[in-house]
Amino acid sequence: MRNRNNKLRREAIARKERYIERAIFGSSLLSILIAIGIFVVLLWGSLPFFSEVSLTEFFGGTKWTPLFHDKHFGIWPLVTGTLLTSAVAITMALPFSLLASIYLSELAPRKHRQLFKPIIEILAGIPTIVYGYFALLIVTPWLQQWIPDLAGFSSLSAGICMGIMIMPMLITLSEDALRAVPSELREGSYALGANKFTTVTKIVLPSAISGIGSAILLSISRALGETMIVAIAAGQKPNLTFDPRESVETMTAYIVQVSMGDTPTGTVEYRTIFAVGLTLFGLTLIMNLCSYYLKQKFQNKYASL
Amino acid sequence: MQFQFLSAIVSTNNETIGNPMSDRQVILRTESLSASFENKKILNDINLEISKRNIMAIIGPSGCGKSTLLRCINRMHELIYGSTLSGRIYFENKNIYDKSVDPILLRRRIGLVFQKPNPFPSMSIKDNVLSGLWLTQKINKKTDSDHLVENALQQAVLWDEVKDRLDDSSLSLSGGQQQRLCIARALASKPDVLLLDEPCSSLDPIATQRIESLLLSLKNTYTIVIVTHNMRQAARISNTTAFLLSGRLIEYGETTHIFTSPQETQTEDYLSGHFD
C-alpha cells in the first residue's frame, strides 16, 4: 500500500515536471517563432513589391524617389546614408570606448570602477529621441561654427550623437572581452618582467581581439538599426554621397517617413518599406552572424585554459 | 613506512647530486618575512636562505603559504588586490623591497613558472619562447632570434618535439609540452633564479618525469626553487628542502637531513603522512 502511494506521488511529480519543461520549451520556442514571423512578414510584404520593381533596379539603381511623380527605386542612396552615419558613429565611438574599456578592465582602482560603471549605464538609458534633439539643436549649430558649409541636417552631426549613444554598449562589451582574458596570462607577462603598458598592449589586447571585434560588429549593427537620431538629425533627403557634411536619409528614417506620412496602403510606394526593411534586416543579420562567429572563436580559444 | 620509502629515494638521489650546503653561496635570503592577504596572515616571520645553483624544494600541506612565499621572492605577491607584506628579502645582498628596486627589472632576473601552464594563446610556439625578450624590448620582431629559440627549447627538452612546427599555435601542444614551453619562455630571458610553483600538478607522470630531469639538468646553471606538494618529487630532485606549516617555516636544510633525520616532530609527522 505504502509502495503504491510512493509510486503515485513520484508519477505526479514527474507529470508536473513534464509540464514545467514544456512551458519553458514553449517560451524559448516563442522567441524563435517571433523572429521567423517578422522575417516572413517582411518577405511577404516585399514579394508584391519585387513583382513590380525588378531586383536589378532595386539593387542596381542610384536614385531613390518612390514618393515623387518620377519614381526611381534604387536602394543605394539609402544604403550609403545608413552606412555613412554608422561609419561616423563607430569612428567617433571606437577610440574613446576602447580606451575607456581598457581603463575600466585593466587600470582603474576598484573605487573608480564602482563610480564609472553606473554612470556609463545611465548613458545607455537616455532615450534616443533626446540624442536626436541634442544633435539637431546643440551639436549641429556648434559644428557649424567650425565647418561653415555643414548642412542643417547632416550625417556628421547625427553620426556623432549616435556614436555617443553606442559608446556604453561598446565599452561594456569590450570590457567584458578584456575581463574574459584569463588573469594567468597577465601574471605570466608580469613574471617575465613586462610592465603594465606592454602587458595590456601586447598580451591582453591581442588575446581579446576577437571578442572586441565581436563587440564592434554588434555596436555597428545597433547603429545601422538606430532610427530616432537619424530621422531627426540626418535629414530626409536620399542622397548618394560619402560627404558627412551633407544631408542624407537612412533606411530607418525612410521607413519612418513612409509610416508616418499619408502614403496609401497597398500602393507600390507603401510596399517599399517592406523591401527596405528586408534589406536592413539582411545587413544587420550579416553583422550579427559575423559577431557571433568572432565570439565563438574567442570563447573556444580559452576553453582549454 | 612512507617515511622510510622517502629516505630511500633521498639516499639514491644524494649520490648523484650531494653537495654540502655549506660550500654554497647564498643568493636569496628572507628576513622576518610576513605576508598577508586581506588581513589574513599567510606567511609569518620567515627566515630562509637559498643558495646559488641549487634546487630548493618548498614542501608543506595545502594552504601553508608555499606559493605566497614564492610570489614574494619575485614581487608578484603585491600584484594581488588586498595583499600586504613586511620584512625583507635579500637578493645578492640587496633588499628587493627597497624603494630603489624596480620590481619589473627584478622579475627579469627571477623567473616564475606557474602551476597551470599559461602559454600566450595569441602567439606561436616560437613567439612564446621569445615573449619575455619581446615584452621587455630586448629584441623586436625583426631580430634574428632562431638560435635563441633553439637554445631555450633545447634547454627545456622540447626542441625535438616542436622543431618542425614552431609557427603553430601554442595551444596545439599537450599540457606537459605547454609547461615545458613556459619553462623555455622563462629561460630565454636568462634569469638567475627560476621559481616553479607546483609545475607538475596538472601533468601526467611521464610529463612530470620529463620536467624533473629537465630541472636536474638546469641546476648547474640556475638557482631553482620549486614548490611541490609531492614529497617524493622533493626527495628526487632537491638538494635542500624547506618545510612550511600554517605560514611558518618549521625547518629547512639539506634534503637528506630533512627526510632522514628531521629536527622537528611536525616535519616528521608530515613526512610520515600525518597531514594532508
Side-chain angles (χ1 to χ4, degrees), chain B residues 221-266:
Chain B
T221 336
Y222 301 93
T223 305
I224 295 171
V225 184
I226 178 170
V227 160
T228 177
H229 63 268
N230 182 340
M231 285 174 286
R232 292 181 201 178
Q233 183 171 59
R236 278 195 298 263
I237 63 172
S238 69
N239 311 77
T240 51
T241 297
F243 173 55
L244 254 65
L245 185 65
S246 346
R248 289 178 185 279
L249 178 64
I250 303 302
E251 68 176 302
Y252 75 100
E254 278 183 51
T255 303
T256 341
H257 289 168
I258 297 282
F259 278 87
T260 52
S261 51
Q263 304 297 305
E264 305 291 328
T265 47
Q266 283 164 312

Side-chain angles (χ1 to χ4, degrees), chain B residues 27-28 50-55 73 91-92 105-112 138 186-195 218-225:
Chain B
I27 186 168
L28 275 161
I50 298 167
S51 45
K52 208 170 181 173
R53 300 210 181 92
N54 182 19
I55 298 182
I73 296 176
F91 173 51
E92 291 179 340
L105 296 177
L106 177 82
R107 290 185 202 125
R108 294 178 193 176
R109 300 193 57 197
I110 306 183
L112 174 61
K138 279 187 192 136
L187 293 177
S189 306
K190 303 220 182 319
D192 299 297
V193 180
L194 191 60
L195 309 173
L218 294 175
K219 83 177 179 71
N220 292 322
T221 336
Y222 301 93
T223 305
I224 295 171
V225 184

Side-chain angles (χ1 to χ4, degrees), chain A residues 128-289:
Chain A
T128 55
I129 187 136
V130 175
Y131 282 112
Y133 269 99
F134 182 70
L136 193 63
L137 301 177
I138 294 164
V139 177
T140 304
W142 184 76
L143 282 173
Q144 275 168 336
Q145 289 174 13
W146 314 98
I147 312 167
D149 48 353
L150 185 76
F153 298 100
S154 69
S155 50
L156 182 64
S157 175
I160 287 175
C161 286
M162 209 150 76
I164 300 172
M165 181 205 77
I166 59 172
M167 266 171 68
M169 178 175 174
L170 194 49
I171 292 173
T172 310
L173 292 175
S174 310
E175 194 206 340
D176 289 347
L178 290 168
R179 285 186 162 259
V181 173
S183 59
E184 283 89 351
L185 298 183
R186 291 183 189 87
E187 293 210 312
S189 172
Y190 288 129
L192 288 166
N195 56 29
K196 197 150 209 167
F197 181 77
T198 355
T199 303
V200 171
T201 54
K202 291 184 175 173
I203 300 296
V204 181
L205 270 182
S207 308
I209 201 73
S210 47
I212 292 174
S214 158
I216 293 171
L217 287 177
L218 268 187
S219 306
I220 293 177
S221 169
R222 173 79 184 79
L224 292 175
E226 167 51 32
T227 308
M228 225 53 223
I229 298 173
V230 284
I232 293 173
Q236 296 197 323
K237 183 178 151 206
N239 191 351
L240 187 68
T241 178
F242 288 101
D243 185 347
R245 289 170 303 180
E246 285 182 41
S247 166
V248 295
E249 182 165 46
T250 65
M251 292 190 247
T252 49
Y254 173 77
I255 296 172
V256 171
Q257 189 188 3
V258 173
S259 317
M260 307 262 291
D262 42 17
T263 317
T265 53
T267 58
V268 69
E269 298 95 286
Y270 176 76
R271 287 191 190 120
T272 52
I273 62 170
F274 289 98
V276 172
L278 192 66
T279 313
L280 184 62
F281 182 83
L283 212 57
T284 50
L285 186 71
I286 291 169
M287 288 290 168
N288 289 356
L289 286 178

Side-chain angles (χ1 to χ4, degrees), chain B residues 57-276:
Chain B
I58 301 176
I59 59 168
S62 305
C64 69
K66 306 183 294 272
S67 297
T68 306
L69 176 58
L70 212 59
R71 296 174 64 100
C72 287
I73 296 176
N74 75 340
R75 295 192 59 175
M76 292 287 287
H77 177 64
E78 67 204 51
L79 294 178
I80 307 169
Y81 182 82
S83 63
T84 52
L85 182 140
S86 69
R88 289 160 298 279
I89 297 178
Y90 292 94
F91 173 51
E92 291 179 340
N93 296 320
K94 187 162 174 54
N95 180 12
I96 62 167
Y97 282 95
D98 196 85
K99 280 205 171 65
S100 64
V101 173
D102 182 356
I104 286 163
L105 296 177
L106 177 82
R107 290 185 202 125
R108 294 178 193 176
R109 300 193 57 197
I110 306 183
L112 174 61
V113 174
F114 295 82
Q115 191 167 351
K116 235 168 75 183
N118 60 350
F120 300 126
S122 54
M123 296 181 193
S124 66
I125 294 171
K126 181 182 160 189
D127 288 346
N128 258 287
V129 176
L130 296 172
S131 56
L133 299 166
W134 181 54
L135 288 167
T136 53
Q137 271 102 33
K138 279 187 192 136
I139 61 164
N140 58 42
K141 288 257 151 162
K142 286 180 201 133
T143 316
D144 178 33
S145 45
D146 291 350
H147 62 288
L148 291 172
V149 177
E150 188 179 341
N151 266 347
L153 286 171
Q154 291 274 19
Q155 273 190 306
V157 207
L158 187 61
W159 174 250
D160 291 331
E161 289 159 65
V162 300
K163 63 182 173 196
D164 300 320
R165 47 177 179 140
L166 291 174
D167 291 320
D168 284 11
S169 161
S170 52
L171 297 184
S172 66
L173 301 175
S174 72
Q177 289 173 326
Q178 288 188 11
Q179 192 62 298
R180 276 178 285 151
L181 179 63
C182 291
I183 294 175
R185 178 173 79 182
L187 293 177
S189 306
K190 303 220 182 319
D192 299 297
V193 180
L194 191 60
L195 309 173
L196 300 114
D197 186 1
E198 300 195 25
C200 303
S201 64
S202 60
L203 306 182
D204 61 69
I206 294 168
T208 300
Q209 200 227 325
R210 286 237 169 93
I211 295 208
E212 283 182 11
S213 56
L214 153 67
L215 294 179
L216 285 172
S217 73
L218 294 175
K219 83 177 179 71
N220 292 322
T221 336
Y222 301 93
T223 305
I224 295 171
V225 184
I226 178 170
V227 160
T228 177
H229 63 268
N230 182 340
M231 285 174 286
R232 292 181 201 178
Q233 183 171 59
R236 278 195 298 263
I237 63 172
S238 69
N239 311 77
T240 51
T241 297
F243 173 55
L244 254 65
L245 185 65
S246 346
R248 289 178 185 279
L249 178 64
I250 303 302
E251 68 176 302
Y252 75 100
E254 278 183 51
T255 303
T256 341
H257 289 168
I258 297 282
F259 278 87
T260 52
S261 51
Q263 304 297 305
E264 305 291 328
T265 47
Q266 283 164 312
T267 316
E268 201 173 329
D269 287 348
Y270 180 67
L271 291 174
S272 44
H274 287 190
F275 292 102
D276 222 341

